[in-house]
Amino acid sequence: MRCLFFNNTPAHVHLYKHTVSRLEDAGHEVLVLARGDECTEALLSYHDVPYETYGDRSDSLQSLLWEVPAHLSMIARRARQFDPDVVFGIGPYAAYTGTITRAPAVAVLDSEPSLDHVVSKPFVRAILTPEAFRKDLGSKHYRFRGFKESAYLHPDVFEADESVRADLGVDADEPYVIVRLNAFNGHHDVGKRGFSVEQRRQLLSALADHATVFVSDEGGDLELDDLDDLDVRPYDLHPARIHDALAEAELFVADTQTMVTEAALLGTPAIRSNSFVGEDDMGNFLELEKHGLIDNCSEFETVLARAQELLTDESTAETWAKRRDSYTEEMVNLTEIITSIAESYSEPSAHPATAEVTGVRAD
C-alpha cells in the first residue's frame, strides 16, 4: 500500500509521525510532502521522517495566494509519480491530491473558524474531527473522543523526559512557566489579536515574581534584553523537546492555540487569551475548560489574577494531574485510528473504514 501524508506545519508532523513510523514498519510505502519551514523540517528530521518539500512557507496571505499554483504543480507531479492508495492531510492540498490521483483523501480537522473543511468537504472521502467540534459536516463527518493532539500525547504514546530540566538550566524543584506568544500571521488569524506589547511586559513581570519564565515568541517582537532585571529567558531548545518542557512546567500562558491543548493533555495548567475567546470559540477549548483543564480569558486582568492564583496554590499540580488522568482515561489513541484507516485501504475493494474503527462514530 502507498500512503501520502501532508505535513504543512509542526503540528501536522506530530499528528502523523507515529502513524508514518507504524506503516513503514509494516512494510507499506509512505510519502510525506512538507511545506518548507525551519521548524517543520527540524521536527521531521528529528523524528527520522523521510520527506520531500513542495514549496516554502509563505509569510502572508497575499504571498500564499501567489505561490499556490506553483505548490499545486509540484504536488501534482510528485503525487502522480507516487500513485497513492490513500491521502491524509488537514485541508485543500490533500483534497486536491486525492482528486487528481483518484485516491481517497481523509482530512483530520479541529478548527471551526478555518475554511479548510469548507474547501475540502466536496473532494474528500472522510473528515475526522474531535467530538467537541461544533459544526455538522454531513455524511462524511466522523467524530472521535479526544483531539488531534491525542495522536501524540495520549498516555499510551507519550512519556515526558525529565532531563529537559537540565537542558533548560533549572533545578529539579525549581518552578518555571512557559509563555507562548503568537505572531498572528496565519490565514486563519486575519483580524485576530493577542497580548499587546505592554501586556506582554506586564505579564512577564508578574510571572517572574513567582517562577522562572521561559518565553517562546513566534513573531520575535519582544525584546528580552529590556527585561534583564527579571528572570525571563528565551525558550531555545529544539522544537521536539517542547512537550517535555510543557509537562514539567508549573504553568503555561499563551495567546496561541495548539499548545494550550497540548499543555492540558499533559496535566499542566494553561491560560489562553486572544480574540478567539468567547461564545463562538472553538469547541476544543470550551470542552477543555468545562473539564477544568484550561482557562479561556478574554480580559487581560483576568489572566494576571488567574496566573498568580495558580502559582501560589500549593494544590494546583496535584489537582491538574487528577483532572488530566480522569479526562484522558476515555480519550482515544488517535494514532491507532489513523493507522487502522490507512491500512484499511490496502485491499483493492477498500471503502471508508472510519465507522468501524473503535472510538470513532459517524454523525
Side-chain angles (χ1 to χ4, degrees):
M1 180 191 68
R2 293 177 298 279
C3 191
L4 192 157
F5 292 88
F6 279 92
N7 282 193
N8 296 335
T9 70
H12 301 172
V13 178
H14 293 305
L15 171 61
Y16 293 121
K17 63 187 179 185
H18 295 303
T19 295
V20 168
S21 177
R22 291 188 184 193
L23 291 175
E24 288 185 325
D25 289 346
H28 301 296
E29 294 183 57
V30 177
L31 172 63
V32 174
L33 290 180
R35 182 181 295 156
D37 170 80
E38 183 178 357
C39 185
T40 300
E41 294 190 69
L43 286 170
L44 287 165
S45 298
Y46 183 94
H47 293 293
D48 294 322
V49 176
Y51 70 95
E52 300 175 20
T53 59
Y54 61 80
D56 294 331
R57 183 181 186 275
S58 301
D59 294 326
S60 67
L61 180 59
Q62 183 178 6
S63 59
L64 174 62
L65 293 175
W66 180 261
E67 294 166 359
V68 162
H71 290 178
L72 294 179
S73 176
M74 179 70 74
I75 289 168
R77 179 185 61 80
R78 188 64 185 94
R80 286 188 175 117
Q81 289 175 346
F82 185 65
D83 189 23
D85 293 301
V86 62
V87 179
F88 284 89
I90 297 296
Y93 285 170
Y96 165 78
T97 303
T99 300
I100 64 170
T101 61
R102 298 186 178 181
V106 179
V108 185
L109 307 170
D110 69 348
S111 176
E112 295 94 338
S114 173
L115 295 177
D116 286 342
H117 60 80
V118 177
V119 177
S120 305
K121 181 180 169 181
F123 308 102
V124 299
R125 185 70 62 86
I127 300 174
L128 273 65
T129 75
E131 278 190 335
F133 194 83
R134 302 178 73 188
K135 291 185 177 181
D136 181 356
L137 302 182
S139 60
K140 299 178 181 180
H141 189 183
Y142 299 85
R143 300 178 185 270
F144 59 88
R145 294 190 299 273
F147 308 96
K148 289 204 323 302
E149 294 77 10
S150 305
Y152 54 95
L153 292 181
H154 189 280
D156 291 344
V157 175
F158 178 80
E159 184 175 352
D161 182 354
E162 296 179 2
S163 69
V164 73
R165 283 186 166 272
D167 296 335
L168 288 170
V170 295
D171 295 333
D173 59 351
E174 181 178 350
Y176 69 84
V177 177
I178 297 178
V179 175
R180 174 67 168 171
L181 303 174
N182 200 347
F184 288 93
N185 60 1
H187 68 86
H188 51 279
D189 294 324
V190 175
K192 299 299 182 180
R193 66 187 185 280
F195 298 126
S196 68
V197 173
E198 180 56 33
Q199 287 174 340
R200 292 177 177 190
R201 295 177 184 276
Q202 290 183 47
L203 174 64
L204 297 178
S205 178
L207 294 174
D209 286 340
H210 303 281
T212 300
V213 181
F214 291 95
V215 180
S216 173
D217 183 7
E218 187 179 42
D221 299 324
L222 191 66
E223 295 292 338
L224 293 183
D225 291 342
D226 297 340
L227 301 169
D228 55 6
D229 57 324
L230 302 173
D231 195 357
V232 177
R233 315 174 195 175
Y235 178 85
D236 56 7
L237 297 188
H238 190 284
R241 301 303 308 280
I242 186 59
H243 300 129
D244 295 320
L246 275 176
E248 288 290 306
E250 201 85 0
L251 176 68
F252 177 68
V253 184
D255 57 10
T256 58
Q257 306 280 64
T258 298
M259 286 179 63
V260 173
T261 303
E262 292 174 336
L265 297 187
L266 292 167
T268 299
I271 299 174
R272 166 179 170 263
S273 181
N274 54 41
S275 55
F276 287 98
V277 173
E279 292 183 1
D280 296 326
D281 206 348
M282 288 173 55
N284 283 6
F285 300 114
L286 297 176
E287 168 81 358
L288 289 169
E289 186 170 52
K290 181 177 72 175
H291 289 273
L293 288 166
I294 70 171
D295 286 274
N296 296 307
C297 302
S298 57
E299 300 297 329
F300 179 67
E301 291 72 18
T302 308
V303 174
L304 291 180
R306 185 59 173 151
Q308 294 178 83
E309 179 184 356
L310 289 169
L311 288 172
T312 55
D313 185 345
E314 294 183 358
S315 67
T316 296
E318 182 180 358
T319 298
W320 255 255
K322 289 180 178 178
R323 290 176 181 175
R324 182 258 189 180
D325 290 346
S326 175
Y327 189 81
T328 58
E329 187 175 357
E330 299 297 325
M331 188 174 74
V332 300
N333 180 344
L334 186 56
T335 285
E336 292 184 351
I337 290 174
I338 297 174
T339 303
S340 295
I341 293 171
E343 290 183 326
S344 74
Y345 288 100
S346 62
E347 297 297 328
S349 61
H351 55 82
T354 37
E356 287 74 44
V357 177
T358 301
V360 175
R361 64 176 178 81
D363 271 354

